[in-house]
Amino acid sequence: MLSMIGLIGGLILLIILTMRGMNLLVVAPLCALFVAVLSGLPLFPQLVEEGGANLVGNYMAGFSGFVASWFLMFLLGAIFGKVMEDSGAADSVSKWIVEKLGMKQAVLAIVIACAVLTYGGVSLFVVAFSVYPMALSLFKQADLPRRFIPAALAFGSVTFTMTSAGSPEIQNWIPIEYLGTSPYAGWEVSLIVAIFMAVFGYWWLRRMIGKAVSKGERFEAREDDPKVAEKELPHPITGLIPLVVVLIISFIFHDSLQQSALIVALLGGVISAYFLNRKYFTDFWEALSAGTLGALIAIGNTAAVVGFGGVAKAVPAFEMAVSAMTSIPGSPLIGGAIAVSVIAGMTGSASGGQAIALPILAPHYMDMGVNAEALHRTVAISSGALDSLPHNGYVVTTIRAICGESHSAAYGAVGALTVIVPLIGLALAVILFSLGVGI
């Protein structure tokens, strides 16, 4: 009982401290210490027999293991995003989409611009920074409440693209290591779910904005609003080509290299972006440095959470929780989806939720004969639901740092589109797989 209190209390403490803006590299070990003490877990390796569970050993094993497995993907992904940003290629693509659709389809233009960049492998944060100035300009011209800009950015980035089949985003690649699948696992169901989430989510976003406008809400300008950059941008085609290169290379090599194909694909994207748009760079080497620093921060934060998970899964309460989740009646996919989604929600990280849950759940479900492709797609979609609770890093950054809004004003719409819509999509995926679609 005390162990369960420690586990739940540690997770709640992690959420609270994260929402207060504390550094995850400090918070995660402290919360792991809380879990270990209440569960009676020894603190140091010297206090147990070789290989025995302990706070420091389990935390660092989880932390270092995640870094060893995913550092190059995080590094190249961050560098690719920064190269696309610094060269103006990301701005060029998003601006072209916005211009083609026009002011009357302002919201749709923003969503599509984010979706194209995200599915092409550009970092979620870079997408938000890149598209926000144009979103602001469009919302101003259309006189729409600016508090819905974070929802439009997030909806286009972290719902029907991030966890879909073929996506180069890390959330679609982590299951490959544990299930021996490909990034295109369960593509038939993924396509149906992605279309549903895109159509339903867009309808809901337009409905929420329409209700706000009917109540008298309008755009409110601010003195510090950024302007759309007037610098010369590359042609949209040369901006799109690196995105296509990433997708093509990952498709060609995913069978032979599995998750390592993403390394080759992102490297190809960086190289093609440089040679196609090199005259437009503000400072290429500074972009590499900024990308490297961003990768270290991103993987450090995720690894810190995975380290916490390494301690959590060593205490008795965790086994009880996993047993309860995997014993849920009905499709085994439901238990896997709930486990990954809950852990992703607790940690505020889709990749962290997968990295913690899959090493334990994957062997269990594979032994049961669960279809690996169905499990891959279900896990990917489920990781992108509760991860977007208010303490999620992307959510906090997009609402506060990029858009300058408050959680009270903007999170309602963000939560509806990035939590509820993916949860409905997850239910649809489980139903379709249970009916044998794509299996």
Side-chain angles (χ1 to χ4, degrees), residues 388-400:
S388 299
L389 292 174
H391 62 292
N392 171 267
Y394 170 82
V395 170
V396 173
T397 300
T398 301
I399 291 178
R400 296 185 182 180

Side-chain angles (χ1 to χ4, degrees), residues 312-332:
K313 70 182 183 183
V315 304
F318 192 82
E319 290 186 15
M320 296 167 56
V322 171
S323 177
M325 291 177 188
T326 54
S327 300
I328 295 174
S331 171

Side-chain angles (χ1 to χ4, degrees), residues 46 50 58 83-84 94 96 101 109 118 139 170 197 233 249 255 271 292-293 316 359 370 387 402 421:
Q46 294 81 5
E50 186 175 352
N58 282 64
V83 166
M84 289 288 290
S94 56
W96 177 75
L101 291 175
T118 302
F139 266 61
I170 203 77
M197 287 199 290
L233 298 175
I249 293 179
D255 281 336
I271 293 171
T292 302
L293 181 60
V370 176
D387 71 308
I402 298 176
V421 171

Side-chain angles (χ1 to χ4, degrees), residues 163-194:
T163 60
S164 292
S167 172
E169 299 296 335
I170 203 77
Q171 293 81 3
N172 183 45
W173 284 73
I174 290 178
I176 297 172
E177 178 180 357
Y178 304 100
L179 301 174
T181 47
S182 80
Y184 300 90
W187 69 267
E188 300 94 338
V189 168
S190 178
L191 180 61
I192 295 171
V193 172

